[in-house]
Amino acid sequence: TSFRKDLLKSFDTQTKIIRDIRDNLNSKCLLVVENNPAVARILDTKGELILDVVDQVAEDFIERSGNDGITLDYSHAWLVVEYFKRNKEKYSNMELCRKQYGGIPDSAKSMKNFVKTVASKIRWVHLSDEIQPYAHSGLHIGDGKIEFNECAELFKKYIKRDIVVTIEVLDGHTPEGFKKILKQDFTILKGLFS
């Protein structure tokens, strides 16, 4: 767990340095962190699985000095919460997280806890759907198992201002994917958030 703690501490230092550079250059850029998924099945050039080792749970980043806020990736949070609910596959990055916090961190016990913990610092939201916690699929809304009725209720209850939401799906940059965003994703979300 000292590896994970040291890494988080180094991110805190890096953020302060970047903030100081930004401030001295009179930049209006915001420094915003995004939460990582439990497992992203991304293969490097050698075909090896790449795992993020920090910033999965709110406790990793919510108090990081120098951040101007966070981008809440709702599907990433769901993947983390669902990972800790199951005891099937084990991934070292998530087990190091569990070990560091002496069990499941509070924010990862439910989507309510996650959203409630980060709500005051949210600047942007990314939305996509997922099927299961052992792979980040970036599906269109309604094609997976995320409960978006719950998402809408949590946002209405805990997020007290307008927030920019981006539908961030795997094929969103293709003509077919963009058409599906307009036809399916927007329709579903408009019904839930109206």
Side-chain angles (χ1 to χ4, degrees), residues 119-137:
S120 67
K121 297 196 177 194
I122 295 174
R123 299 296 173 257
W124 288 275
V125 172
H126 291 168
L127 290 179
S128 65
D129 212 340
E130 299 293 343
I131 292 177
Q132 49 90 13
Y134 303 110
H136 178 25
S137 303

Side-chain angles (χ1 to χ4, degrees), residues 70-161:
I70 70 155
T71 295
L72 170 63
D73 190 306
Y74 195 85
S75 69
H76 291 180
W78 184 86
L79 291 164
V80 168
V81 169
E82 287 297 309
Y83 176 90
F84 283 122
K85 285 182 183 176
R86 302 172 189 212
N87 273 327
K88 293 182 180 179
E89 298 178 51
K90 299 283 186 193
Y91 288 94
S92 57
N93 64 326
M94 296 307 295
E95 295 310 310
L96 278 172
C97 178
R98 186 192 312 260
K99 188 175 178 183
Q100 178 181 345
Y101 292 106
I104 301 171
D106 245 11
S107 69
K109 290 180 179 173
S110 69
M111 288 307 297
K112 177 183 176 182
N113 284 12
F114 207 105
V115 171
K116 190 175 170 183
T117 302
V118 301
S120 67
K121 297 196 177 194
I122 295 174
R123 299 296 173 257
W124 288 275
V125 172
H126 291 168
L127 290 179
S128 65
D129 212 340
E130 299 293 343
I131 292 177
Q132 49 90 13
Y134 303 110
H136 178 25
S137 303
L139 303 174
H140 288 272
I141 310 301
D143 288 352
K145 295 183 179 178
I146 292 180
E147 183 55 57
F148 283 98
N149 287 322
E150 176 188 33
C151 174
E153 291 306 313
L154 291 171
F155 284 14
K156 288 174 187 175
K157 183 171 184 176
Y158 294 109
I159 301 173
K160 305 297 182 194
R161 61 193 179 288

Side-chain angles (χ1 to χ4, degrees), residues 8-114:
L8 289 168
K9 188 175 179 180
S10 78
F11 287 165
D12 191 59
T13 302
Q14 289 173 23
T15 305
K16 288 177 189 174
I17 292 168
I18 293 168
R19 182 202 55 210
D20 289 345
I21 292 169
R22 176 202 64 190
D23 292 349
N24 282 301
L25 293 174
N26 296 317
S27 172
K28 295 187 188 293
C29 274
L30 295 178
L31 299 174
V32 180
V33 66
E34 179 177 339
N35 56 305
N36 286 320
V39 176
R41 294 208 186 246
I42 300 169
L43 301 179
D44 69 7
T45 56
K46 297 176 188 172
E48 296 176 2
L49 184 64
I50 298 172
L51 299 173
D52 291 312
V53 295
V54 293
D55 290 355
Q56 285 96 3
V57 295
E59 290 81 354
D60 285 350
F61 58 82
I62 198 68
E63 296 300 327
R64 187 171 295 151
S65 301
N67 281 344
D68 294 314
I70 70 155
T71 295
L72 170 63
D73 190 306
Y74 195 85
S75 69
H76 291 180
W78 184 86
L79 291 164
V80 168
V81 169
E82 287 297 309
Y83 176 90
F84 283 122
K85 285 182 183 176
R86 302 172 189 212
N87 273 327
K88 293 182 180 179
E89 298 178 51
K90 299 283 186 193
Y91 288 94
S92 57
N93 64 326
M94 296 307 295
E95 295 310 310
L96 278 172
C97 178
R98 186 192 312 260
K99 188 175 178 183
Q100 178 181 345
Y101 292 106
I104 301 171
D106 245 11
S107 69
K109 290 180 179 173
S110 69
M111 288 307 297
K112 177 183 176 182
N113 284 12
F114 207 105

